[in-house]
Amino acid sequence: MFSTESPRLNDVLPELDFDGEHAPSNGGGRLKPGRPYRSSGFKNAQFRNDRPSTGRLTRSLVRFFVAIFIGVGATLAWQYYGGEMVRVWAPSLDWLLPTSPPGPAVTATELQQQLKPMAIDLALVRRTEEQLATNQDQLARKQDQMAQTMSALQAAQQEFTQQILALAPPPTPKPVHVPPKPAQAPAQ
């Protein structure tokens, strides 16, 4: 059914004449001299245009814009992450990143002079905090004193009210009118 032998090239493409002795190694051949080239009937000049096709133009524009978007995205990522992304992803590219120049050396006396105003401010804040705590304690003591005074006044008021009630004469009872009982007839 299947043969292991491939068909001859002259059988597959009869318009080409391949002779095994003179055939070039790249697979090319020559046309048979007896067969003329047949045209399809259309003139090639009708379809010839110097402009690229719209398909090619569209693909070119898409590739261009993809490249632009990749560049813009990379620039935004670089600005957002500030080079840390490169240090993490590719430590070997660390030499591309800008290095910040070391700041001027600060001596101990300059540092003390810079810290002196902050130390004074901290001392003032501590003193103010202590004064507030003292004032709060004084207010709490005064509030306790006022509460004790109020309770003493309430006790004195109750005692005074009781003394007034004790000095007042007792109210005289009103005579109660009792109707007389009818006399009973002697029993027989």
Side-chain angles (χ1 to χ4, degrees):
M1 181 171 206
F2 294 107
S3 95
T4 58
E5 198 175 306
S6 62
R8 289 181 34 155
L9 197 52
N10 284 340
D11 293 339
V12 176
L13 298 170
E15 66 269 1
L16 298 176
D17 182 24
F18 291 101
D19 44 350
E21 300 171 11
H22 302 295
S25 61
N26 64 0
R30 62 175 202 249
L31 290 173
K32 287 185 179 179
R35 290 186 147 195
Y37 174 73
R38 284 191 292 156
S39 172
S40 62
F42 290 108
K43 294 182 181 177
N44 288 338
Q46 286 179 339
F47 296 106
R48 229 178 132 173
N49 195 351
D50 291 337
R51 294 185 334 193
S53 68
T54 56
R56 282 187 181 173
L57 182 63
T58 304
R59 282 191 302 266
S60 298
L61 285 174
V62 167
R63 288 177 185 158
F64 174 74
F65 284 116
V66 165
I68 293 296
F69 288 140
I70 288 173
V72 168
T75 303
L76 291 175
W78 184 277
Q79 288 177 353
Y80 182 74
Y81 290 106
E84 292 301 318
M85 181 174 53
V86 174
R87 284 190 179 100
V88 171
W89 287 353
S92 62
L93 297 176
D94 195 25
W95 62 274
L96 290 173
L97 299 174
T99 57
S100 59
V106 178
T107 63
T109 56
E110 290 175 356
L111 189 59
Q112 284 178 348
Q113 288 176 354
Q114 289 176 357
L115 293 177
K116 195 173 187 177
M118 282 193 271
I120 292 171
D121 289 341
L122 278 174
L124 290 173
V125 168
R126 283 183 189 147
R127 185 178 298 151
T128 306
E129 181 185 8
E130 289 171 359
Q131 288 175 351
L132 286 173
T134 305
N135 289 343
Q136 189 176 10
D137 290 340
Q138 288 175 355
L139 286 173
R141 274 188 259 122
K142 286 182 180 180
Q143 189 176 12
D144 288 341
Q145 287 176 357
M146 288 179 67
Q148 289 174 359
T149 306
M150 291 283 289
S151 63
L153 284 174
Q154 286 176 352
Q157 183 183 10
Q158 284 179 356
E159 186 179 327
F160 184 68
T161 306
Q162 288 175 359
Q163 287 177 357
I164 290 177
L165 288 176
L167 291 177
T172 56
K174 292 184 179 180
V176 178
H177 178 64
V178 179
K181 289 186 181 182
Q184 286 185 355
Q188 299 184 345

